[in-house]
Amino acid sequence: MTEKAPLEFYFDFVSPYSYLVSERIDALGAKHGRKVKWRPVLLGAICKALGTVPLMQQTDKSGYSERDFARSARFLGIPYAHPEKFPIASVAPARTYYWLHERDCARARDYAHRVFRAYFTEGRDISDAAVALDLAVAAGADRAQVEAGMQEQAVKDRLRKETDDAVALGMFGAPWIVVDNEAFWGADRLPQIEKWLETGGF
Amino acid sequence: MTEKAPLEFYFDFVSPYSYLVSERIDALGAKHGRKVKWRPVLLGAICKALGTVPLMQQTDKSGYSERDFARSARFLGIPYAHPEKFPIASVAPARTYYWLHERDCARARDYAHRVFRAYFTEGRDISDAAVALDLAVAAGADRAQVEAGMQEQAVKDRLRKETDDAVALGMFGAPWIVVDNEAFWGADRLPQIEKWLETGGF
């Protein structure tokens, strides 16, 4: 039996709906024999390239959005506490993710969960390189190695490339999930993704 | 037993996700003992007031959006054919709706369904006053009376007032559904609305 193509999960670590999907996508993939490629990108850079404004920064919608983030989390049964500092930069954890990913995919996955949960359940400032580093250490990485790794040009280039690739794929918001070339935007598309996986497209 | 408050369904006749909700909201309300107030408004005017751009006019997203309109319709089992002329103005059917509604609520509801389906399954140009009128006649209204009615200042004022009221409620996109003061934006919130109705809030 040929292995099915993995789901592609593009996200930003400070996107609430990305966090919600991060708590569900692996189980959803596994149920249908799919692995999931996790790809943190910088939504701010994507929106800048497109000349748009990320939902997280659309202040006219922030009242509704904050309510919807929390309500959507309750609907899905996922813990959520809207961070006091929101939104913040996600460069530090995204770079750290790719440095870890080059060395140990499983550790990088564990790290990504730790970052999301630190921000969206404990309100920790994941934009702070020291926090991003502490979380890598909590995931079992060596502090000195990660600290040096976060500064490597290769890691910076990788994050830029993944962000460019996401734009090329059509991504304009987060999360962006691709199933066999079909793109889905948002945590609210999880039921459609599930049906797509069940039926092979509808 | 006290009658429960009706659901409030604010929409624009040329909004695809509004059309999808229009095909489900009455049955959903009835299942939970709720009537539904249908309120067509002008999303273009709302966005202008807020200084935003309706999703329907965000050309950078139009490729994804068109795909998602049709896919969401298939997901819900609702016929959908993306209109060739899109988006178009919805002033004519919205005014006609309120004129009918003042006289016969049931006919206005029937009319609203006819307008949505004419646009989203047959691609008819509902921005054309003659088409808006034909659909009113198909719903059983008198042609000459509706034709005169569409020009009444009271009808123009009513549409403007409903649009202003929607802004005051916080509406920035369509459809906008309010359940006991809780606002839901988008057809993809139907499952949350159902849970809200079942549980009285979660």
Side-chain angles (χ1 to χ4, degrees):
Chain A
M1 191 176 141
T2 323
E3 195 176 354
K4 288 177 191 161
L7 313 185
E8 295 168 75
F9 170 37
Y10 288 86
F11 61 90
D12 189 306
F13 276 119
V14 298
S15 148
Y17 299 125
S18 294
Y19 160 64
L20 298 183
V21 168
S22 80
E23 294 286 335
R24 291 291 177 266
I25 193 76
D26 283 344
L28 185 56
K31 193 174 156 190
H32 298 279
R34 304 281 195 131
K35 291 188 175 153
V36 185
K37 279 167 63 175
W38 287 42
R39 293 292 180 264
V41 294
L42 301 179
L43 185 59
I46 291 174
C47 288
K48 201 173 163 189
L50 298 173
T52 58
V53 179
L55 175 66
M56 304 178 271
Q57 286 167 26
Q58 293 176 26
T59 48
D60 56 307
K61 298 182 179 163
S62 62
Y64 175 82
S65 294
E66 275 194 38
R67 206 171 169 87
D68 190 65
F69 298 152
R71 188 176 64 201
S72 295
R74 293 194 302 273
F75 182 71
L76 292 168
I78 295 169
Y80 184 87
H82 193 65
E84 252 181 68
K85 272 182 80 175
F86 178 87
I88 55 178
S90 56
V91 179
R95 284 184 182 161
T96 306
Y97 172 89
Y98 285 116
W99 189 88
L100 292 170
H101 190 264
E102 281 292 315
R103 285 148 189 89
D104 185 336
C105 293
R107 178 170 290 162
R109 183 72 45 101
D110 176 37
Y111 176 71
H113 279 301
R114 287 174 188 272
V115 171
F116 270 129
R117 292 170 186 164
Y119 189 48
F120 288 111
T121 70
E122 300 168 37
R124 291 178 69 187
D125 183 359
I126 59 167
S127 70
D128 182 344
V131 173
L133 183 57
D134 283 347
L135 292 166
V137 172
D142 178 84
R143 181 176 295 271
Q145 281 185 4
V146 178
E147 195 163 16
M150 285 166 77
Q151 302 305 320
E152 286 174 13
Q153 190 59 43
V155 151
K156 297 177 185 177
D157 292 345
R158 174 73 186 273
L159 175 56
R160 188 170 300 119
K161 189 190 177 311
E162 295 287 354
T163 301
D164 290 345
D165 288 354
V167 173
L169 274 174
M171 179 175 182
F172 53 75
W176 192 263
I177 302 107
V178 183
V179 185
D180 301 333
N181 296 316
E182 183 77 11
F184 297 86
W185 172 38
D188 40 40
R189 291 297 177 275
L190 282 170
Q192 291 195 22
I193 293 170
E194 174 135 45
K195 185 168 179 179
W196 200 272
L197 289 168
E198 280 167 6
T199 61
F202 59 85
Chain B
M1 192 175 141
T2 323
E3 194 174 356
K4 288 176 192 163
L7 313 185
E8 294 168 75
F9 171 37
Y10 288 87
F11 61 92
D12 188 306
F13 276 119
V14 299
S15 148
Y17 299 125
S18 294
Y19 160 64
L20 297 183
V21 168
S22 80
E23 294 286 335
R24 292 290 178 268
I25 192 77
D26 283 345
L28 185 56
K31 192 174 156 189
H32 297 280
R34 304 282 194 129
K35 291 189 175 151
V36 184
K37 279 167 63 176
W38 287 43
R39 293 291 180 263
V41 294
L42 301 178
L43 186 58
I46 290 174
C47 288
K48 201 173 163 190
L50 299 173
T52 58
V53 179
L55 176 66
M56 307 178 267
Q57 285 167 26
Q58 294 175 26
T59 49
D60 57 306
K61 296 182 182 163
S62 62
Y64 175 82
S65 294
E66 276 193 39
R67 208 173 167 85
D68 190 65
F69 297 153
R71 187 175 66 201
S72 296
R74 292 194 303 273
F75 182 70
L76 292 168
I78 295 169
Y80 184 88
H82 192 66
E84 253 181 65
K85 274 182 79 175
F86 178 88
I88 56 178
S90 56
V91 179
R95 284 185 183 160
T96 305
Y97 173 89
Y98 286 116
W99 188 89
L100 293 170
H101 190 263
E102 282 292 316
R103 284 146 190 89
D104 185 335
C105 293
R107 178 170 291 162
R109 182 72 47 99
D110 177 36
Y111 176 72
H113 278 302
R114 288 174 188 273
V115 171
F116 271 130
R117 291 169 187 165
Y119 189 49
F120 288 111
T121 70
E122 301 168 35
R124 291 179 68 186
D125 183 359
I126 58 166
S127 70
D128 182 345
V131 174
L133 184 56
D134 284 347
L135 292 166
V137 172
D142 179 83
R143 182 176 295 271
Q145 280 185 4
V146 178
E147 197 162 14
M150 284 165 78
Q151 303 305 322
E152 286 172 12
Q153 190 58 43
V155 151
K156 297 177 185 178
D157 292 345
R158 175 73 187 274
L159 176 56
R160 189 168 301 118
K161 188 192 177 310
E162 294 287 353
T163 300
D164 290 345
D165 288 353
V167 174
L169 273 175
M171 179 175 182
F172 53 75
W176 192 263
I177 302 107
V178 183
V179 185
D180 302 333
N181 295 317
E182 183 78 10
F184 297 86
W185 172 38
D188 41 38
R189 291 297 177 275
L190 282 170
Q192 291 194 22
I193 293 170
E194 173 136 44
K195 185 168 179 178
W196 200 272
L197 289 168
E198 279 167 6
T199 60
F202 58 85

